[in-house]
Amino acid sequence: MGVVNVTPDSFSDGGKFLDPAAATAHAWRLAEEGADLIDVGGESTRPGARPVSAQEELERVLPVLRAMRDAPVPVAIDTMKPEVMRVAIAEGASMINDVNALRAPGSAELVAESGLAVCLMHMQGEPRTMQVSPHYDDVVAVVKAYLKARADAALSAGIGRDRIVLDPGFGFGKTVEHNMTLLRDLHALVELGFPVVAGLSRKSSLGAITGRPATERLAASVAAALLAVERGARIVRVHDVAATRDALAVLKALESSH
Ligand code: HH2
């Protein structure tokens, strides 16, 4: 899953793709590099980010969604807002990527009616404050129970089992230690029986581990994606598609060797 942030303030590429033409060109480039899915977002969820209105978010993503209608790959819309989901559905999006896991009133029903796929992600707190002092007694158990509850809620709303993917939400109300524990024990989440998404690309935990700024976290991001796939992730959400594909090709070759 290649990331396209149509925002002025995303933590690693904020401002680069605010212009719809630049965002669309980037999305096509990621598809050419081998992304199987493009994730378009119009609101940064980085720690401390300023929330934006549905209208502002739509003004950012709509031109890109329209331009992506003929794209060779499906498009996910990264949003927490039912108003944005509704428009994205009408504009031909294939997946709703909701870091709020369909907790906004009406969002589960909307997705159920649409027949689209959905990514349900775990987050402790909300983006503005989530990194202040994240705490868990057992991070894997808490995230697993939450994702199971959100998947059950989605199923009850009428979303088909084959349309749901789950995501531990690396960096969303989690310390470096929490993120590494979740990565190490990713198989525990795979046990829930849904495909698991992992999004570690360029995140601050990788900065803490390597001492590098967001622009210099390529090697760490590729390593994290590879480790996630080895531990059962089926989708990796990444900014650097070509490099990640190469790394995954080596893993695939290894797994198919005799
Ligand atoms: N991470 C970010 C945004 N959306 N969605 C899923 N499913 N999983 C993630 O880990 C995830 C996500 C944050 O990264 P990014 O989009 O690069 O930054 P920002 O939120 O600042 O736009």
Side-chain angles (χ1 to χ4, degrees), residues 1 3-7 9-14 39 41-47 49 78-79 95-99 119-122 127 130 165-172 197-203 237-239:
M1 177 191 254
V3 180
V4 178
N5 287 317
V6 196
T7 60
D9 55 347
S10 287
F11 76 95
S12 78
D13 54 1
D39 190 37
E43 177 177 42
S44 173
T45 48
R46 78 181 154 72
D78 189 344
T79 188
M95 177 186 254
I96 305 296
N97 174 23
D98 184 3
V99 301
C119 177
L120 304 172
M121 197 196 79
H122 175 270
M130 66 192 178
V165 301
L166 304 178
D167 184 334
F170 290 104
F172 284 81
V197 181
L200 283 145
S201 185
R202 299 185 186 172
K203 283 192 175 163
R237 182 181 180 278
V238 305
H239 300 84

